[in-house]
Amino acid sequence: MEITKSDQGGVATVAINGRLDAVSAVDAEKEFSSLLEEGKDKMLIDLAGLDYISSAGLRVLLVVAKRIQQTGGKVALSNLADNVKEVFEISGFSSIFKIYDSNDEAAEFLQG
């Protein structure tokens, strides 16, 4: 798994490439925690490069969403591959997260 972070207009963008599973979930959680500790309360999680997500990966994203919402912030997901989108739908996570087809749409939601 590889994580790339950037900040544009007050929106922290986190791009995840590879697999978000039990092995990589610990590293992902550390990356997200560092952003939250910096006070980032608008987060766009770009999953265009995500090949696979396990229940451990879903848990990491859920924890991030809950922590951001507790501070009055927003989180959005973008660019989910069909297989990843299916996992979100089956697990019910598609009703928890705002999911967009592009980063532009997600950023518009976050800045609105």
Side-chain angles (χ1 to χ4, degrees):
M1 178 199 67
E2 179 185 334
I3 294 181
T4 308
K5 299 183 286 188
S6 63
D7 194 318
Q8 298 170 333
V11 174
T13 300
V14 180
I16 302 175
N17 293 304
R19 297 172 56 92
L20 185 52
D21 54 22
V23 173
S24 59
V26 175
D27 291 335
E29 199 161 358
K30 287 178 188 173
E31 294 285 347
F32 283 116
S33 289
S34 71
L35 287 170
L36 294 168
E37 288 167 13
E38 291 172 21
K40 304 295 184 190
D41 65 349
K42 293 179 183 175
M43 195 171 300
L44 190 166
I45 304 174
D46 182 353
L47 301 179
L50 188 68
D51 301 323
Y52 171 82
I53 188 164
S54 71
S55 58
L58 288 171
R59 186 192 64 77
V60 168
L61 296 179
L62 183 61
V63 168
V64 168
K66 285 186 174 185
R67 286 181 61 188
I68 288 175
Q69 289 169 354
Q70 288 172 347
T71 64
K74 297 180 188 177
V75 64
L77 306 179
S78 66
N79 301 313
L80 279 70
D82 288 342
N83 64 317
V84 173
K85 190 179 284 188
E86 186 177 348
V87 171
F88 274 80
E89 289 169 0
I90 290 170
S91 66
F93 275 53
S94 57
S95 63
I96 297 171
F97 289 93
K98 296 285 187 184
I99 299 175
Y100 295 92
D101 292 331
S102 72
N103 286 355
D104 291 340
E105 289 174 316
E108 189 175 316
F109 160 75
L110 292 169
Q111 293 172 334

